[in-house]
Amino acid sequence: MTSIYLTEPGTKVSYHNQQLQIKQKSRQVITRLAEIDLLVLFPGVQLTDVAIAVLMDQGIETIFLRRDGQFRGRLQGQFATNPLTRIAQYRVLDSTFGTALAQRLILGKVTNQRAILQRRHRDTGKKNNALAEAIDLIGAYRLSLRSGLGNSSRDQLMGIEGICAKHYYQVFQFCLPEGWSFTGRNRRPPKDPVNALLSWGYGVLLARVFSAIVQAGLDPYLGFFHATQPYRPNLALDLMEEFRPVVVDQAIVRLLRSGILDPLDFEPSYDGLGIWLGITAKKLFLTELESILQTSFLYSPQSRRLKLQQIILEQARCLGRCCLESSLDYEPFTLS
Amino acid sequence: MTSIYLTEPGTKVSYHNQQLQIKQKSRQVITRLAEIDLLVLFPGVQLTDVAIAVLMDQGIETIFLRRDGQFRGRLQGQFATNPLTRIAQYRVLDSTFGTALAQRLILGKVTNQRAILQRRHRDTGKKNNALAEAIDLIGAYRLSLRSGLGNSSRDQLMGIEGICAKHYYQVFQFCLPEGWSFTGRNRRPPKDPVNALLSWGYGVLLARVFSAIVQAGLDPYLGFFHATQPYRPNLALDLMEEFRPVVVDQAIVRLLRSGILDPLDFEPSYDGLGIWLGITAKKLFLTELESILQTSFLYSPQSRRLKLQQIILEQARCLGRCCLESSLDYEPFTLS
């Protein structure tokens, strides 16, 4: 199955004979509809009315992103799933069981944040004291999360998540090559290239996680950790936690270390207050993100290797099953 | 606020300067975005990418229908509603409270079916025994529904709804002028023009009710009467019950009695097994449907006159409030 990202303004997508025809300035690509599982569209991409109809009828997840990578919306055809999953989800929402699920999701996140730092620490001969300290601190919170599984309140979880994120982003600069300054997370708008990459990448990841959640029959707006704040796809933000370091942060580290991306590939945002990815930066970053999503990892609940994009879907399905069966049988996906 | 239905293949919708430009073969219409609350698109209508983006960003409900009037899908932007409404809806689902709500919805439907027959009965000097009998029979079921409010099981409700529908459609022919035969309901595909109008009209109404339910923050797929059958927008089907006779059946009676529609305005379906509305029939019928939806009625819960399309939204909101407040304060909208 193929995920197709269309970033280039002026791209036209039409349908003919069970195939999507994708016309760009320089080239034309034809893909069989049966091979596509996700279509992600950036501004300036035109779908014909027939293409829209076919995408909805065939249940191919079609997502519209903004220029800054944020989720704008999607085509909603008929739900092809069992609504009992959503009923179960709602039953769990205000329960200690829901908070216990949230605890596993946050455990996954901090475990993966720590793993990213550990890798760097090993690669650099364990000489960086700041890295060592952050790894230890996050490790302590991780242990407390693991040992007290199901015992924390949501406020406590919020606190732990926030503290670990602070420690993590404080030393994230040491994972990056020289020439890319990063002194902590900022956004809306991001004020430097690394923050721009983080914001844009999390937007793209959110779209995929949102799509996986809908495919699993869950309501993306009602979460366990992010709870039920209006105007936010809370469950998508929940499930995304464990995948943020694995997909986005890793892609940024790899891309910047490869030396291919240049600070000139970024540009000031329209309002001049922030930094945006230029078209080349978007393409290079999407390629890196997609390469990670296509990488196979051991998926221990099923004792087999799966592509990361499939693992995201399986984790969404697992959340659905946990709700349906009132079972806490959710293992976050972690980098070993 | 305006609802725009675009039926003509070849129509192009673009955005410029806070306005939608709608280009058709013969003419061009420009409408301010701020005046549009609903856009309903039939096959062959092309939206530009900018129009799609703006419709999602502004939260303008955009619905795609099939050639046969059935719901195909919609643009889903961010939810702009309180998710607590959906949580409350789920809590109610498997309760006697949910069935009591279903009972009110069915009470609304049979009351309005009976009102349609009564009007005709009065207009024709009360000489038709079949009409009189159907009115009495439906009236008896209506009374039992009203007196036993909250006491029926869902199966009993299904039974009453089915029997009333049978009696109603058996005499519906007497509401129609001569030259239009109708001996009962058939569909998938409809086999005569009146059944084609009913199917198509219910499809269009469903789209509007679906949109109202989403605007009210409810999950259209989980119902009280139609319960939680997969692959069906059950709550939309629920709320639609009381509006079917008022909107669709009334529009058909008016349209056919006006003498404007001709049997030649219908055509065989592609597969030759059924009857479809031609383009003229669609336009005439939509005009009639829209005229009813724009008519003001007394909305007794608020003691004021509202357009019927606004009443549909208010009834959806009322369902949401009933769920949130565990109150059975839902009065079906009925023709007096």
Side-chain angles (χ1 to χ4, degrees):
Chain A
M1 299 299 277
T2 310
S3 306
I4 297 180
Y5 291 82
L6 298 173
T7 53
E8 207 167 290
T11 302
K12 292 205 167 100
V13 182
S14 57
Y15 169 82
H16 180 66
N17 198 18
Q18 301 298 322
Q19 298 172 324
L20 282 193
Q21 291 187 343
I22 299 165
K23 275 190 202 162
Q24 296 174 326
K25 255 175 243 156
S26 49
R27 58 186 188 135
Q28 175 168 340
V29 182
I30 293 176
T31 310
R32 284 206 313 128
L33 213 58
E35 286 169 18
I36 304 171
D37 69 340
L38 176 70
L39 194 59
V40 181
L41 308 170
F42 285 85
V45 176
Q46 179 67 51
L47 296 169
T48 65
D49 61 299
V50 179
I52 288 178
V54 168
L55 289 165
M56 288 194 296
D57 288 353
Q58 306 264 324
I60 296 171
E61 185 63 24
T62 304
I63 290 175
F64 300 86
L65 297 185
R66 297 179 194 281
R67 217 183 121 98
D68 61 1
Q70 302 305 300
F71 182 62
R72 166 169 269 146
R74 59 187 283 269
L75 296 182
Q76 178 183 38
Q78 301 285 356
F79 272 45
T81 54
N82 191 342
L84 294 178
T85 310
R86 287 206 298 297
I87 297 175
Q89 176 190 1
Y90 289 86
R91 289 222 182 91
V92 168
L93 275 183
D94 60 349
S95 67
T96 51
F97 179 82
T99 313
L101 272 178
Q103 189 156 345
R104 306 222 161 192
L105 297 164
I106 298 308
L107 174 64
K109 181 183 191 179
V110 305
T111 302
N112 288 332
Q113 285 176 327
R114 186 163 173 268
I116 298 276
L117 301 183
Q118 275 181 314
R119 284 185 182 186
R120 183 64 189 153
H121 197 43
R122 276 196 302 267
D123 288 355
T124 52
K126 304 198 173 183
K127 287 179 193 148
N128 187 317
N129 290 337
L131 270 179
E133 200 178 322
I135 290 167
D136 284 350
L137 281 164
I138 296 176
Y141 284 110
R142 181 173 165 267
L143 267 183
S144 79
L145 276 177
R146 187 183 268 292
S147 61
L149 265 183
N151 299 330
S152 305
S153 71
R154 213 169 61 80
D155 282 349
Q156 285 171 321
L157 281 181
M158 284 277 173
I160 294 174
E161 189 270 340
I163 292 167
C164 289
K166 202 179 155 205
H167 288 307
Y168 173 72
Y169 285 125
Q170 264 173 358
V171 297
F172 187 63
Q173 57 177 312
F174 301 119
C175 300
L176 305 174
E178 283 189 28
W180 299 93
S181 78
F182 179 79
T183 56
R185 186 83 177 100
N186 59 56
R187 53 203 183 119
R188 281 176 213 173
K191 301 208 171 38
D192 56 71
V194 177
N195 272 299
L197 287 166
L198 285 167
S199 291
W200 203 80
Y202 292 149
V204 171
L205 176 60
L206 180 63
R208 297 215 57 138
V209 173
F210 190 102
S211 135
I213 282 172
V214 171
Q215 282 178 68
L218 292 158
D219 184 327
Y221 291 89
L222 303 187
F224 306 118
F225 177 63
H226 290 87
T228 55
Q229 198 169 323
Y231 315 113
R232 281 202 326 193
N234 296 290
L235 186 66
L237 291 167
D238 281 4
L239 179 57
M240 195 169 121
E241 292 289 17
E242 70 198 53
F243 294 105
R244 283 175 190 260
V246 182
V247 179
V248 179
D249 304 0
Q250 265 206 113
I252 293 171
V253 171
R254 282 197 205 171
L255 183 60
L256 296 188
R257 297 196 73 77
S258 74
I260 294 170
L261 202 63
D262 193 280
L264 293 175
D265 293 325
F266 294 81
E267 52 194 47
S269 59
Y270 281 149
D271 54 13
L273 300 172
I275 296 287
W276 269 355
L277 285 69
I279 188 78
T280 305
K282 283 182 190 172
K283 286 190 175 190
L284 289 171
F285 191 25
L286 271 183
T287 306
E288 197 66 57
L289 288 167
E290 199 54 27
S291 141
I292 291 181
L293 287 163
Q294 298 299 329
T295 305
S296 294
F297 292 86
L298 176 67
Y299 185 58
S300 54
Q302 298 176 6
S303 304
R304 58 174 177 149
R305 293 183 73 79
L306 288 178
K307 289 182 177 170
L308 192 49
Q309 71 167 77
Q310 183 64 21
I311 290 176
I312 293 176
L313 177 58
E314 290 301 324
Q315 290 291 77
R317 288 182 176 146
C318 183
L319 275 184
R321 274 196 310 277
C322 284
C323 295
L324 274 168
E325 299 166 4
S326 299
S327 125
L328 254 179
D329 197 19
Y330 184 87
E331 281 301 318
F333 171 73
T334 53
L335 290 169
S336 52
Chain B
M1 298 299 277
T2 309
S3 307
I4 297 181
Y5 291 83
L6 298 173
T7 53
E8 208 167 289
T11 301
K12 291 203 169 105
V13 181
S14 58
Y15 169 82
H16 180 66
N17 197 20
Q18 301 301 321
Q19 299 172 323
L20 282 193
Q21 291 188 343
I22 298 165
K23 275 190 201 163
Q24 296 176 328
K25 255 175 244 155
S26 49
R27 59 187 187 135
Q28 175 167 338
V29 182
I30 293 177
T31 309
R32 284 206 313 127
L33 214 58
E35 287 169 19
I36 304 171
D37 69 339
L38 177 70
L39 194 59
V40 181
L41 308 170
F42 286 84
V45 176
Q46 180 67 51
L47 295 170
T48 65
D49 62 300
V50 178
I52 289 178
V54 169
L55 289 166
M56 288 194 298
D57 288 354
Q58 306 266 325
I60 296 172
E61 185 64 24
T62 305
I63 292 175
F64 300 86
L65 297 185
R66 297 180 194 280
R67 216 183 122 96
D68 61 1
Q70 302 304 300
F71 181 64
R72 167 169 269 144
R74 58 185 283 270
L75 296 182
Q76 179 183 38
Q78 301 284 356
F79 273 45
T81 54
N82 189 342
L84 295 178
T85 311
R86 288 207 295 300
I87 297 175
Q89 175 189 4
Y90 288 86
R91 290 221 181 91
V92 168
L93 274 184
D94 60 348
S95 67
T96 51
F97 179 81
T99 313
L101 271 179
Q103 191 157 342
R104 306 220 161 192
L105 297 165
I106 298 308
L107 174 64
K109 180 184 193 181
V110 305
T111 301
N112 288 332
Q113 285 177 325
R114 187 163 170 267
I116 298 276
L117 301 184
Q118 273 181 315
R119 284 185 182 188
R120 183 64 188 151
H121 197 41
R122 277 196 301 269
D123 289 352
T124 53
K126 303 196 175 183
K127 288 181 190 144
N128 187 318
N129 290 338
L131 271 178
E133 201 179 323
I135 290 167
D136 284 350
L137 280 165
I138 295 175
Y141 283 110
R142 182 172 164 267
L143 266 183
S144 80
L145 276 176
R146 188 182 267 293
S147 63
L149 265 184
N151 298 331
S152 305
S153 71
R154 213 168 61 79
D155 282 350
Q156 286 171 319
L157 280 182
M158 284 274 174
I160 292 174
E161 189 270 341
I163 292 167
C164 288
K166 203 180 153 202
H167 288 307
Y168 174 72
Y169 285 126
Q170 261 173 359
V171 298
F172 186 63
Q173 55 177 312
F174 300 120
C175 300
L176 306 174
E178 282 191 28
W180 298 94
S181 78
F182 180 79
T183 55
R185 185 85 176 98
N186 58 58
R187 50 203 186 124
R188 282 180 210 167
K191 300 207 171 42
D192 55 72
V194 177
N195 271 297
L197 287 167
L198 286 168
S199 291
W200 203 80
Y202 292 150
V204 171
L205 176 61
L206 180 63
R208 296 214 59 139
V209 174
F210 190 102
S211 135
I213 283 172
V214 172
Q215 284 178 65
L218 292 157
D219 183 327
Y221 292 89
L222 303 187
F224 307 117
F225 177 63
H226 291 87
T228 55
Q229 198 169 320
Y231 315 115
R232 280 202 326 194
N234 296 289
L235 187 66
L237 292 168
D238 281 3
L239 179 57
M240 194 169 120
E241 292 291 16
E242 69 197 51
F243 294 105
R244 284 175 191 259
V246 182
V247 179
V248 180
D249 304 1
Q250 265 206 114
I252 293 172
V253 171
R254 282 197 204 172
L255 183 60
L256 296 188
R257 298 196 72 79
S258 74
I260 296 170
L261 203 63
D262 192 280
L264 295 175
D265 293 326
F266 294 82
E267 51 194 46
S269 59
Y270 281 148
D271 54 14
L273 299 172
I275 296 287
W276 269 356
L277 284 70
I279 187 79
T280 306
K282 282 181 191 173
K283 287 190 175 189
L284 289 171
F285 190 26
L286 272 183
T287 307
E288 196 65 57
L289 287 167
E290 200 52 27
S291 141
I292 291 181
L293 286 162
Q294 296 300 330
T295 305
S296 294
F297 291 87
L298 176 69
Y299 185 57
S300 54
Q302 297 175 7
S303 304
R304 57 173 178 152
R305 294 183 75 78
L306 289 178
K307 289 183 179 172
L308 192 49
Q309 72 168 76
Q310 182 63 21
I311 291 177
I312 294 175
L313 178 58
E314 290 301 325
Q315 289 292 76
R317 289 183 176 146
C318 183
L319 274 184
R321 276 197 309 277
C322 284
C323 295
L324 274 168
E325 300 166 5
S326 299
S327 124
L328 252 180
D329 197 19
Y330 184 87
E331 281 301 318
F333 171 73
T334 53
L335 289 170
S336 51

